[in-house]
Amino acid sequence: MNRPSSTTFAERLAAGPLVGAEGYVFELERRGYVKAGPYVPEVILDAPDALRQLHREFLRAGADVMVALTYYAHREKLRDVGRDGDLEELNRQAVRIANEIAREGGALVAGNICNTWCYDPANPKVSGEVVRAQYREQLGWAVEEGVDLVISETNDFLGEALIGLEVCQEYGLPALVTFASVQPTTTYDGYDYIEACRILADHGAAVVGFNCSRGPVTMMPMLEQLRAAVDIPIAAQPVPYRTSPVVPAFESLTSADGSRMFPIQLESAALTRFEMADFARDAAALGVAYVGVCCGGAPHYVRAMAEALGRETPASRYSPALELHPVLGTGESGVTSSEMGDWSAAS
């Protein structure tokens, strides 16, 4: 196996919490490089420098892992936009770019697989083989280009997640496997989320947890249950949006006039960097080993979260100094941390 980093994923986890940074397709859509709706990462081939720039910004902000942008880069999704002929080159290029930027800061490199929208629990054998073939394609190319681990994410079905884990194991890759939690308590194939994670742990996942769908407020109770239920590292990559016990998943958020906010009217529900920093600190205190952000993530969130965990990042040179602001500042006497909303570990 072509592993690009000098330290393994397990070694990095043992050294303390890792900071994850995702939300690539949302952020690149905001920048004008990904089409909302299909969310297929055509940017990999159409504007690779835009992808390089976002990787670099996440790296400078403190991300420990560069995740190859192969989310929704599987055969079925590329067929939807008429680019299935670009499947191999798009996947290989994504991993090459992740490796290129990871080398600038000693980050790990993760391959990425996700929900395929092909799995049918009513016909798991036939649909499962379709899913397995797509994962084998993507991960075969990722292994040849070089990855340290695989993030298998936004899983809706335990059955599909187990297939992804099996394919990772075929290639000898450690797998971080996370569920989206759109439904209140169970996966779409009827497993309690905590039990589904326990099953994945029993089948050899390196890390289990949750990503997407839920914001910090509605993900944290699930993380508390999960931490008590499994004895392997756990992961948390919430969305930076204001979900609640009434509306736990951001896919169901609505505006005052009743219109759907997901996926491109979410700005008024966005959390502040300070709230995401609080989440990072609380998650690490709980024992979450991989603390990140998902759809809606951006470099300013990642920097705030990394600094909340006591990191000084390359981007920390430009962290706010509101005491120097011409209106808010007070000269050399400075502004207190409480006035600034300081998110640093020392606050």
Side-chain angles (χ1 to χ4, degrees):
M1 182 177 68
N2 179 17
R3 187 171 60 78
S5 302
S6 59
T7 55
T8 67
F9 181 44
E11 289 168 340
R12 295 287 283 270
L13 284 171
L18 293 179
V19 175
E22 291 195 59
Y24 284 91
V25 292
F26 264 44
E27 179 64 11
L28 287 163
E29 189 277 330
R30 288 190 291 245
R31 299 182 184 196
Y33 295 101
V34 166
K35 183 183 289 293
Y39 284 108
V40 175
E42 298 173 86
V43 61
I44 297 163
L45 298 180
D46 295 349
D49 284 342
L51 176 56
R52 287 186 178 91
Q53 180 63 26
L54 183 54
H55 273 306
R56 188 170 287 118
E57 290 175 22
F58 279 147
L59 183 69
R60 292 183 66 256
D64 292 304
V65 180
M66 293 292 98
V67 183
L69 184 52
T70 53
Y71 185 94
Y72 277 178
H74 49 70
R75 186 172 293 279
E76 291 292 326
K77 290 294 289 186
L78 285 170
R79 185 178 292 125
D80 288 346
V81 295
R83 299 198 69 164
D84 43 315
D86 293 329
L87 179 68
E88 179 175 353
E89 182 55 26
L90 188 145
N91 275 268
R92 288 186 181 277
Q93 173 90 316
V95 181
R96 290 179 196 135
I97 291 173
N99 270 283
E100 174 189 337
I101 305 305
R103 286 192 293 269
E104 296 178 5
L108 296 169
V109 178
N112 184 247
I113 54 176
C114 67
N115 53 326
T116 64
W117 302 104
C118 295
Y119 185 76
D120 179 2
N123 192 2
K125 183 174 177 59
V126 173
S127 66
E129 287 310 305
V130 173
V131 171
R132 191 182 305 276
Q134 292 186 70
Y135 288 161
R136 281 175 172 161
E137 281 182 326
Q138 288 190 279
L139 293 183
W141 295 320
V143 166
E144 290 178 5
E145 297 296 336
V147 294
D148 296 294
L149 69 144
V150 175
I151 294 177
S152 169
E153 62 185 348
T154 325
N155 286 288
D156 296 309
F157 299 95
L158 173 60
E160 188 169 44
L162 285 168
I163 293 169
L165 175 59
E166 290 167 6
V167 176
C168 290
Q169 291 169 335
E170 288 176 11
Y171 287 106
L173 293 164
L176 184 160
V177 188
T178 52
F179 287 100
S181 46
V182 179
Q183 299 196 124
T185 59
T186 65
T187 65
Y188 280 123
D189 46 354
Y191 292 86
D192 176 84
Y193 287 121
I194 305 304
E195 179 61 18
C197 286
R198 187 186 293 116
I199 292 169
L200 285 165
D202 290 344
H203 280 74
V207 182
V208 294
F210 306 106
N211 79 290
C212 209
S213 290
R214 303 203 181 204
V217 167
T218 50
M219 185 175 285
M220 185 58 76
M222 299 175 69
L223 294 170
E224 291 170 350
Q225 295 177 56
L226 181 60
R227 182 61 290 168
V230 300
D231 59 4
I232 67 170
I234 67 172
Q237 295 207 92
V239 295
Y241 296 108
R242 198 159 283 110
T243 58
S244 70
V246 176
V247 186
F250 82 142
E251 292 92 342
S252 298
L253 289 172
T254 56
S255 59
D257 64 4
S259 61
R260 180 181 294 276
M261 300 174 77
F262 175 85
I264 55 172
Q265 296 190 68
L266 286 160
E267 286 84 355
S268 63
L271 296 176
T272 69
R273 64 189 73 185
F274 307 105
E275 290 168 301
M276 290 304 293
D278 287 342
F279 169 76
R281 193 181 293 110
D282 292 345
L286 178 64
V288 176
Y290 193 93
V291 182
V293 62
C294 200
C295 295
H300 70 292
Y301 286 127
V302 177
R303 181 181 64 184
M305 295 170 74
E307 290 180 349
L309 298 180
R311 312 280 185 85
E312 183 174 352
T313 76
S316 294
R317 175 183 175 186
Y318 302 104
S319 291
L322 296 190
E323 70 275 13
L324 302 179
H325 191 279
V327 175
L328 301 177
T330 59
E332 293 183 1
S333 61
V335 182
T336 67
S337 293
S338 61
E339 289 169 328
M340 291 176 64
D342 188 8
W343 60 73
S344 70
S347 66

